[in-house]
Amino acid sequence: MKVEKLRKKLAEEKLDGLLVTDKINRRYLCGFTGSNGLLLVTENALQLFIDGRYTRQAQQQTQGVEICEIPVGTSLIEVLRPFVKGAVFGFEAGTITYQSFINFQALMGAVGGRLVATKNMIEELRMLKTPEELSAIRQAAKIADQTLEMILPLIRTGMTELELANEIDYRSKKLGSEGPAFETIVASGPRTALPHAHAGNKKIEANELIMIDFGSIHQGYYSDITRTFAFGEVDNEIIETYQKVLSAQKQAIETVALGKPLGEIDQVARLVLEQENLVQYFSHNLGHGIGLSCHEYPALAPNETLLIEKNMSFTIEPGVYLPEKAFGIRIEDDVAVNESGHAEILTHFNKEWMTIDCNR
């Protein structure tokens, strides 16, 4: 079904085929998870070009795919030559390496063919999830929720951010995650004002803010969650700011509805923060698609005109970062657009204001 939808798109664009070089898109279309390979999609064929390291893996992971092993001492370009002669092929302009582009361009010129840049052709298919895909994302979100339940009681004064990040990764894997969704973010105190702080050797102190941003993976599908909370007592201004960010997030989630532009959801959160004189500290998009990749198409950006459809899945994560006041706050949940056209929240860990006991 996925490949047939892609073939319909190729026909509409008057393309003879598509050179799929993106690892995630390759997996989406044929199931192959190897780190290297080329998937060639044409009207009548689906061919996976790999070297001998991946032959058995490809045989085990794919169905209805012709596996073309590249002989030792031969290049992919040489093997491809008879398959692309005189044809017009699309390529994934957003993710291909420059060297690969140069190689393909030279090949097509030599065989009387032509390359055409494509944008989000497969990503648009990935954007709308099947029930099985949504089930996998829900499980990834559940693992993240369970991880947070296990982690918060472990936090101690003097523990470093990196030690806490390692505990998160370890516990998440013990609960069934295939690995961290990305480099786990743990920021404490003034470092919470860094939107994407790297967990470091800073020691967590009593009476400061902690921000945790991480995700889990189940059957290749990702979750992504951020929670910010107090470790002991913090200033009232921090608590008040938290409530304003939480209000922005909740209102954005409530606004999700079929047919609305994704940009409108971003603008709802931005307006709430503007009314609180905080919007100048909101320095990123409201969210991003989530699925086989943690950050995937589409983006919930202020000017995004793409309309909301059923079975989309994305994050909603407003944040404000105030380095001059030495704190920042972000709250992130994963949502899916359900059959009624509204947002089903997939991450369920408490997001009301939390104060964790620091005297333990």
Side-chain angles (χ1 to χ4, degrees), residues 19-39:
L19 301 166
V20 183
T21 51
D22 183 88
K23 175 184 174 181
I24 304 301
N25 287 341
R26 195 169 61 230
R27 174 177 183 165
Y28 176 75
L29 290 174
C30 74
F32 176 63
T33 63
S35 58
N36 199 7
L38 171 79
L39 186 66

Side-chain angles (χ1 to χ4, degrees), residues 89-101:
F89 272 84
F91 69 95
E92 298 179 291
T95 56
I96 194 172
T97 66
Y98 179 69
Q99 186 61 59
S100 292
F101 168 72

Side-chain angles (χ1 to χ4, degrees), residues 240-257 260-276 278 282 286 300 308 314-318 331-333 335 341-343 345 351-352:
E240 291 168 1
T241 303
Y242 184 94
Q243 297 299 347
K244 294 168 184 176
V245 175
L246 181 60
S247 176
Q249 200 234 19
K250 286 182 175 180
Q251 289 188 51
I253 291 173
E254 290 170 1
T255 303
V256 171
K260 284 188 177 181
L262 285 169
E264 184 176 327
I265 312 306
D266 178 288
Q267 291 165 12
V268 165
R270 224 164 277 278
L271 179 60
V272 173
L273 294 175
E274 182 178 13
Q275 292 168 345
E276 300 291 353
L278 289 171
F282 181 20
L286 181 65
L300 276 71
I308 293 173
F314 45 82
T315 68
I316 295 184
E317 48 179 304
I331 307 166
E332 176 184 21
D333 283 307
V335 305
H342 298 290
I345 301 175
K351 63 182 175 184
E352 299 301 321

Side-chain angles (χ1 to χ4, degrees), residues 118-233:
T118 66
K119 181 181 180 182
N120 294 329
M121 187 170 277
I122 299 172
E123 286 81 356
E124 288 173 358
L125 298 178
R126 285 170 49 192
M127 178 180 73
L128 303 180
K129 307 300 190 293
T130 65
E132 292 76 18
E133 289 177 303
L134 289 174
S135 177
I137 297 171
R138 286 190 187 94
Q139 183 60 29
K142 183 178 180 180
I143 293 170
D145 289 337
Q146 293 173 332
T147 301
L148 281 172
E149 292 281 359
M150 295 179 70
I151 283 298
L152 294 195
L154 300 179
I155 302 175
R156 297 287 185 275
T157 303
M159 176 184 244
T160 68
E161 294 171 347
L162 190 56
E163 286 171 338
L164 181 53
N166 289 339
E167 285 288 347
I168 290 169
D169 293 347
Y170 171 67
R171 304 285 171 168
S172 180
K173 285 184 177 181
K174 284 210 65 170
L175 288 165
S177 177
E178 294 160 18
F182 47 88
E183 182 183 337
T184 294
I185 295 171
V186 175
S188 58
R191 284 171 41 77
T192 58
L194 299 171
H196 266 206
H198 294 277
N201 290 319
K202 179 195 172 298
K203 291 184 177 181
I204 295 170
E205 300 176 14
N207 304 316
E208 66 177 5
L209 206 59
I210 298 176
M211 180 189 294
I212 294 175
D213 183 351
F214 77 105
S216 303
I217 310 171
H218 178 72
Q219 295 178 350
Y221 287 83
Y222 287 68
S223 63
D224 189 358
I225 186 170
T226 305
R227 291 295 185 263
T228 309
F229 52 90
F231 186 55
E233 300 302 318

Side-chain angles (χ1 to χ4, degrees), residues 189-190 193 235 237-238 241 278 281 321-328:
D235 291 343
E237 182 181 8
I238 293 177
T241 303
L278 289 171
Y281 304 111
Y321 313 95
L322 299 90
E324 70 279 8
K325 295 188 177 181
F327 76 90

